[in-house]
């Protein structure tokens, strides 16, 4: 709950305690009137059927200084012609009185356009007015008046009296005497006759003993009087609203900028300084503005300085105003100015000076460019590595790779295992052996060529496999035949690789092999080892991917003529037979 409502409630309770009764009979309640409604300036006038209504002809101050005459005309609905209204008949229903054209009462056929002409001999002033006649069911209470409701604001926990609007004005009509005023509450029911209610109907007035928010709403008054032997009436609606107590101090309160707030401005950009203040209700004529070095924006005469002012009201009609000072192309010189927000109403004034600091410079452009360069370089390096990673590995091995021959004391670089008496034997002897020995400079061991006669095949195989740094297995369907020497070589190499770790196995796929026909040892090796595929003529060139992958798996051999893109292709006569993939 709002703090000023609590204060109002405490004030009201203290008044009740002093009076010693719950009713809160407040002496001398203040009489409040509707907010000003100028019927003379209304171009459209609405009245209920069977009630009194009037049209007002506005007369300018210039014409009222001279003798003038006023004539009323009615515009014929069908013909569009203006017909003078005869107001000199005995006991007419439509009469003219000074600036007013009276309808006592108004009927549905009176609806339409009317013209008043003001003449002073030299000038004619014409005004067109519209009369609307509304129907009301059973002449009952209405929540909205034909003329529109007038608004009355009463402070919380205070007393007031409400009169029916236009009561005094209608007493001025010819030979009219008010006789009765009947009020209906916001629920269109009669007021309770009880004495101890907060709001009662007394002497044709509404008496509010203690104003509360639940009393807000539209209240209807029906006035009846006699004129010309007839009983006439008119209906008005009063909208009752609560506002904050007048007993509270209502000097403006500036919420923003507060004492600890610092506005951050960016040099060269638009500066925004926001001032927000509680200035209370409209009746106090609140104002909110900025001053720069003690001058208002009008006095400053600098087009760079502008402001936007807005406000919002709470449920009690108190206003919170906001003024935003805009400074175009904020400069370092503007930092030395004093920016003061002022709030003022009829109860007092308040002011607050804003504190400013420049925004720290962030090299966003430089950071963005640097980040962009890093991303581009990273992308380029990723692409280069993805395309040339084999070349990069070979280059690294050529200069930084360890020379295994200096420490392992092994005799051979590569032991080639293959299926004997088959097509792959030609591939091994004429292609693999020649490139490895002649082009790359490796020492190759081929059992049928290099083994000594007279020994046991099993012992000799295990011995030579152990004396080699790499076991190159040339895979083909013939290689998988159980009981061949090739499988013995494969098992020996895998055991040496698993136990001592000084031998690595290289798998070269010469021909495609169905995975279902793989032996157990080969499945175990395939999980841990890469498979290099021979693709016939595509792999015959020394710069092909096959030879680069193979060289990465072989021991480091530092030679001046390292494998490169300019290496010559293998002669096509070396290996011309291709196999289906």
């Amino acid at each position: 709950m709002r703090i000023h409502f609590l204060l109002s409630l405490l004030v009201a309770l203290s008044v009740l305690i002093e009076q010693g009764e719950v009713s809160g009979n407040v002496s001398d309640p203040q009489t409040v009137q509707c907010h000003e409604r100028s019927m003379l300036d209304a171009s459209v006038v609405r009245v209920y059927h069977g009630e009194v209504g009037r049209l007002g002809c506005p007369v300018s101050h210039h014409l009222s200084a001279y003798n003038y005459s006023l004539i009323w005309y009615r515009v014929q609905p069908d013909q569009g012609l203006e017909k003078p209204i005869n107001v000199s008949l005995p006991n007419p229903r439509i009469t003219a009185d000074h600036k007013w054209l009276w309808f006592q009462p108004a009927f549905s056929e009176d609806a339409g356009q009317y013209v008043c002409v003001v003449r002073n001999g030299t000038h004619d002033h014409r005004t067109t007015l519209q009369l609307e006649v509304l129907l009301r069911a059973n002449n009952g209470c209405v929540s909205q008046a034909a003329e529109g409701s007038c608004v009355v604001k009463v402070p919380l926990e205070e007393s007031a009296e409400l009169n029916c609007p236009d009561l005094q004005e209608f007493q001025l009509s010819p030979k009219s005497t008010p006789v009765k005023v009947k009020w209906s509450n916001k629920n269109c029911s009669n007021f309770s006759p009880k004495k101890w209610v907060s709001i009662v109907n007394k002497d044709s007035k509404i008496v509010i003993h203690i104003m509360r928010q639940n009393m807000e709403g539209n209240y209807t008054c029906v006035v009846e009087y006699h004129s010309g032997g007839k009983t006439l009436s008119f209906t008005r609606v009063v909208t009752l609203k609560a506002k904050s107590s007048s007993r509270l101090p209502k000097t403006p309160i500036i919420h923003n900028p507060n004492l600890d707030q610092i506005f951050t401005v960016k040099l060269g950009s638009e500066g925004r300084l926001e001032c927000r203040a509680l200035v209370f209700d409209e009746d106090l004529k609140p104002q909110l503005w900025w001053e720069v070095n003690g001058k208002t924006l009008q006095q400053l005469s600098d087009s760079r300085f502008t402001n936007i002012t807005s406000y919002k009201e709470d449920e009690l009609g108190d206003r919170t105003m906001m003024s935003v000072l805009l400074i175009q192309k904020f400069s370092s010189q503007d930092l030395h100015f004093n920016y003061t927000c002022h709030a003022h109403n009829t109860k007092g004034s308040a002011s607050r000076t804003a504190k400013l600091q420049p925004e720290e410079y962030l090299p966003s452009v430089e950071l963005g460019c640097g980040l962009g360069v890093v991303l581009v370089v990273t992308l380029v390096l990723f692409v280069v590595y993805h395309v040339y990673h084999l070349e990069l590995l070979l280059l690294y091995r050529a200069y930084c790779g360890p020379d295994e021959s200096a420490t392992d004391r092994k005799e051979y670089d590569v032991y080639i295992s293959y299926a004997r008496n088959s097509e792959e034997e030609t591939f091994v002897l004429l292609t693999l052996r020649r490139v490895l020995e002649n082009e790359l400079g490796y020492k190759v061991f081929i059992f049928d060529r290099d083994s000594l006669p007279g020994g046991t095949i099993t012992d000799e195989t295990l011995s030579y496999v152990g004396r080699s740094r790499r076991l190159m297995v040339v895979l083909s369907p013939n290689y998988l035949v159980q009981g061949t020497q090739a499988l013995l070589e494969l098992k020996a190499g895998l055991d040496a690789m698993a136990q001592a770790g000084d031998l690595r196995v290289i798998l070269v796929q010469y021909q495609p092999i169905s995975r279902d026909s793989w032996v157990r040892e080969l499945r175990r090796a395939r999980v841990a080892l890469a498979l290099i595929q021979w693709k016939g003529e595509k792999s015959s060139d020394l710069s092909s991917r096959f030879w680069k992958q193979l060289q990465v798996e072989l021991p480091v051999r530092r030679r001046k003529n390292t494998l490169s893109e300019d290496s010559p292709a293998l002669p096509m006569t070396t290996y011309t037979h291709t196999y289906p993939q």
Side-chain angles (χ1 to χ4, degrees), residues 396-403 555-562:
Y396 173 79
R397 285 162 49 88
Y399 291 96
C400 302
D403 188 357
V556 174
R557 176 67 63 184
R558 292 190 176 90
R559 291 168 54 90
K560 292 184 179 180
N561 298 327
T562 310

Side-chain angles (χ1 to χ4, degrees), residues 347-510:
K347 295 291 184 178
S349 302
S351 61
R352 188 71 56 81
T353 300
K355 300 177 182 178
L356 278 67
Q357 69 177 11
E359 180 181 355
E360 295 184 1
Y361 175 70
L362 294 177
S364 56
V365 177
E366 293 82 351
L367 290 176
C369 293
L371 180 61
V373 170
V374 171
L375 292 177
V376 171
V377 171
T378 303
L379 181 61
V380 171
L381 292 178
F382 175 79
V383 173
V384 169
Y385 177 79
H386 182 73
V387 176
Y388 300 103
H389 68 282
L390 292 177
E391 289 81 355
L392 294 175
L393 286 174
L394 292 176
L395 183 63
Y396 173 79
R397 285 162 49 88
Y399 291 96
C400 302
D403 188 357
E404 299 178 26
S405 61
T407 57
D408 60 7
R409 298 181 181 180
K410 291 194 175 185
E411 183 177 354
Y412 300 101
D413 292 316
V414 183
Y415 184 111
I416 301 179
S417 173
Y418 59 95
R420 274 70 172 175
N421 301 321
S422 60
E423 295 178 358
E424 52 264 40
E425 184 173 9
T426 304
F427 167 69
V428 170
L429 296 177
L430 298 182
T431 301
L432 279 180
R433 181 200 62 79
R434 189 183 71 81
V435 173
L436 293 177
E437 290 182 343
N438 299 337
E439 301 294 338
L440 302 179
Y442 287 104
K443 189 173 183 179
V444 179
F445 181 89
I446 299 175
F447 189 87
D448 295 339
R449 185 195 67 174
D450 300 326
S451 61
L452 298 177
T456 304
I457 294 178
T458 302
D459 295 338
E460 292 291 327
T461 299
L462 296 177
S463 174
Y464 285 114
V465 169
R467 291 155 59 185
S468 302
R469 299 183 180 90
R470 299 289 187 273
L471 173 63
M472 183 180 298
V473 180
V474 180
L475 297 176
S476 65
N478 296 325
Y479 191 89
L480 303 178
V481 178
Q482 293 285 350
T484 62
Q485 183 181 353
L487 286 179
L488 176 63
E489 295 168 345
L490 174 62
K491 293 178 181 179
L494 293 177
D495 291 340
M497 180 177 177
Q499 294 175 4
D502 57 351
L503 174 68
R504 291 176 58 186
V505 179
I506 304 173
L507 301 180
V508 176
Q509 179 177 300
Y510 174 65

Side-chain angles (χ1 to χ4, degrees), residues 178-205:
V179 292
K180 184 173 61 174
V181 179
K182 181 182 178 181
W183 283 90
S184 300
N185 61 22
K186 61 181 181 179
N187 298 320
C188 278
S189 59
N190 296 330
F191 280 92
S192 172
K194 294 181 180 180
K195 179 180 180 181
W196 305 110
V197 295
S198 297
I199 180 168
V200 297
N201 179 16
K202 180 181 179 182
D203 298 333
S204 303
K205 300 178 181 179

